Amino acid sequence: MKRLIEKGLMFGNLIHVDSPALVERYNRALVHLTGKKTALADFHIDISGYSPEVGDELGDHLYLNHNGVNRQFILLSTSQKTAPLLNAKFSTCRGILRQFIGENEAQLFALCARDAVGGELVNSVHDVEDPRRLFDIRKIRIEADTTKGTVHDAERLAQMVNRFKTEQDAWFDDLLIAEMIGVAKRTGDVVRNPVRLKDMEFQQDNFWTAHFGGVYIFRGVEHPAAICAGDKTQLGDVPIKYVFDMSERNRIAKFLDLNGLVEPITKARGIDAAAILRQKMDFIVVDAAQDAGMDLTGATRRDIRILARSHASRLPEEWHGLNALASWAEGLGDWPRISSQHPAYFLTLRAADHADRDLVNMLLAELAPMDIRQLFICHKQLFYRLYASWTDTKKSYVVDFLDREYQVDKAGARDALFGHRDAPMEEPAPPRDDIVTRVGPWGAVGR
């Protein structure tokens, strides 16, 4: 994992907390939310305020995410909105937090100037020991306040001000006036500078969860289904008609097609389909070279393609299917029929343009993990888990590729691949040098 950290491909873009004032505010919020406290003088936090270093210190990497549901958060700065979300248990959490910060940025900026803001992503489910509980998750609302209760006090003061203005004898109510003065000392002038966070609620129809080995739940589509990365029998009797596992490729393909969730790369507008397919072929060659024990350290795209020509007969069916499709896209061959039974099928697709395209691209990355670029962009947790099992040769090639050919223009690459510039997780920026030596390859990310 150190290679990834050094290149900014892991734990990048975290927020460095290194001032005594910020550490003290973080501890106030941490005690308020969890009853725990850190003795660290500096550490790094993600968008939710989770710190891998603090998780190591406490021996609990779910200290802000008890039971993996109702994630709590600590905001020290609105700049956290660009940070990734580590240890995500639900695919929607980072988007919710980012939208909450964006919609309340001015208020949060003012509140964070004096205190930490702590809160929770609240739903009606407090544990998911029974898989059926996942289907009880319908809406998420956000509850947030400073550790000193500034938002609550401001709402209370606003109500008292309204009473003072509207009730007939309020001018003579010394108790009301004294209470208003006392609260105003803590909140400031809420008439000129209102302190209010928007009430926000988020519908949860389609999402991924890390629970039960990974489950994709699609309820907000015409033909609902759940797709399991693990053994679907462990879900038991759940309130959805169709449940698939990753081996049921034909049924998943039909589900994606019936709901209009995907489109062939070759039919997508404004992209170089052949170039994308050729790059996917290179990744398949790298996979085959790993199995053959070849050393790919420092290999260029030209080296990989020479290797492919020399050993074409030994490459898997995925490579040959993509080769035929790329040749057609370049006008050099006939249209190849690649059905859902073909092992290359999911490599030929991307999400269509709809609200759940990030979720669908995440699913496609898991169905076709040979495409390490899509895997890294769309499903980082799975990428990190698989990376740990690769040979040093493949690790070296993948890190070099992502650093050399992807990080130089991440937004452009995402736009070319998926038709938009956003991805399920904010792309990391190169980390400070000190994090490489202090962080280490925490096991928490893959858990």
Side-chain angles (χ1 to χ4, degrees), residues 3 5 46 71 356 362 365 367 400 444:
R3 289 187 184 97
I5 297 170
D46 69 2
R71 184 148 190 160
D356 294 303
M362 185 179 186
L367 287 164
D400 184 58

Side-chain angles (χ1 to χ4, degrees), residues 6 55 63 96 132 153 160 229 291 358 398:
E6 288 173 337
Y63 69 92
I96 289 174
R132 288 174 294 185
D153 284 346
M160 289 190 288
D291 295 339
D358 288 345
V398 169

Side-chain angles (χ1 to χ4, degrees), residues 293-315:
M294 294 183 178
D295 185 2
L296 296 180
T297 303
T300 63
R301 181 176 297 180
R302 181 173 178 273
D303 296 330
I304 296 298
R305 292 182 180 175
I306 291 174
L307 189 63
R309 287 194 294 271
S310 302
H311 302 276
S313 61
R314 296 163 57 187
L315 291 172

Side-chain angles (χ1 to χ4, degrees), residues 3 14 22 57 81 115 121 129 154 168 206 218 244 300 341 366 368 374 401 444:
R3 289 187 184 97
L14 296 179
L22 289 179
E57 178 196 23
K81 71 178 181 179
D115 199 0
L121 277 58
E129 290 184 9
Q168 185 175 358
N206 306 324
F218 291 89
F244 311 134
T300 63
Q341 296 179 337
E366 188 151 6
Q374 178 161 321
F401 169 81

Side-chain angles (χ1 to χ4, degrees), residues 1 4 382-391 395:
M1 298 295 185
L4 294 171
L382 180 58
F383 174 88
Y384 294 138
R385 188 165 75 242
L386 294 178
Y387 177 91
S389 67
W390 294 341
T391 64
K395 288 178 181 177

Side-chain angles (χ1 to χ4, degrees), residues 244-256:
F244 311 134
D245 62 40
M246 292 294 178
S247 67
E248 298 176 274
R249 297 171 68 85
N250 289 349
R251 300 180 74 190
I252 294 173
K254 185 176 181 181
F255 160 78
L256 293 171

